[in-house]
Amino acid sequence: MSITQDEARKVAHLARIAVPEDQLAALASELNGVLAFMDQLSEVDVEGVEPMTGVMPMRLKRREDVVSDGDYQKKILANAPDAREGFFAVPKVVE
């Protein structure tokens, strides 16, 4: 499978990346390199290998589930860059 300049242009558009026309050939070449590497990976024999999320087996520490009275508002808002009237203050994003 080979990526053409037109397909590279479409990929750049979908990724919302501005790529000048003179750079499309280089982008297509890089995408072809990625696809070639993926083809290489598909040749690896992984029969009998269990999937893993990391190279070291580890178990997350768990804390005891204890019901508290809450009332941590002051501690939590101490980390806020802007807090007003007991709440996080955020800039308006919708007009």
Side-chain angles (χ1 to χ4, degrees):
M1 181 175 182
S2 180
I3 300 289
T4 64
Q5 285 190 17
D6 289 334
E7 291 170 327
R9 182 182 298 111
K10 185 175 180 179
V11 168
H13 173 73
L14 291 173
R16 307 288 195 265
I17 300 171
V19 178
E21 286 293 321
D22 60 334
Q23 297 285 325
L24 284 175
L27 178 61
S29 175
E30 287 182 31
L31 290 174
N32 282 323
V34 170
L35 290 176
F37 182 70
M38 289 174 62
D39 282 341
Q40 224 178 357
L41 286 177
S42 67
E43 296 171 5
V44 175
D45 180 24
V46 293
E47 190 67 35
V49 177
E50 288 190 34
M52 59 183 179
T53 58
V55 295
M56 298 294 294
M58 107 175 50
R59 185 170 170 93
L60 294 176
K61 295 179 184 175
R62 297 181 181 229
R63 64 176 171 82
E64 198 174 317
D65 190 13
V66 179
V67 177
S68 69
D69 63 351
D71 200 28
Y72 295 117
Q73 184 179 22
K74 289 182 182 178
K75 287 181 181 179
I76 293 170
L77 290 177
N79 295 322
D82 188 10
R84 298 180 196 152
E85 300 175 15
F87 297 97
F88 290 102
V90 296
K92 185 176 180 180
V93 293
V94 178
E95 294 294 327

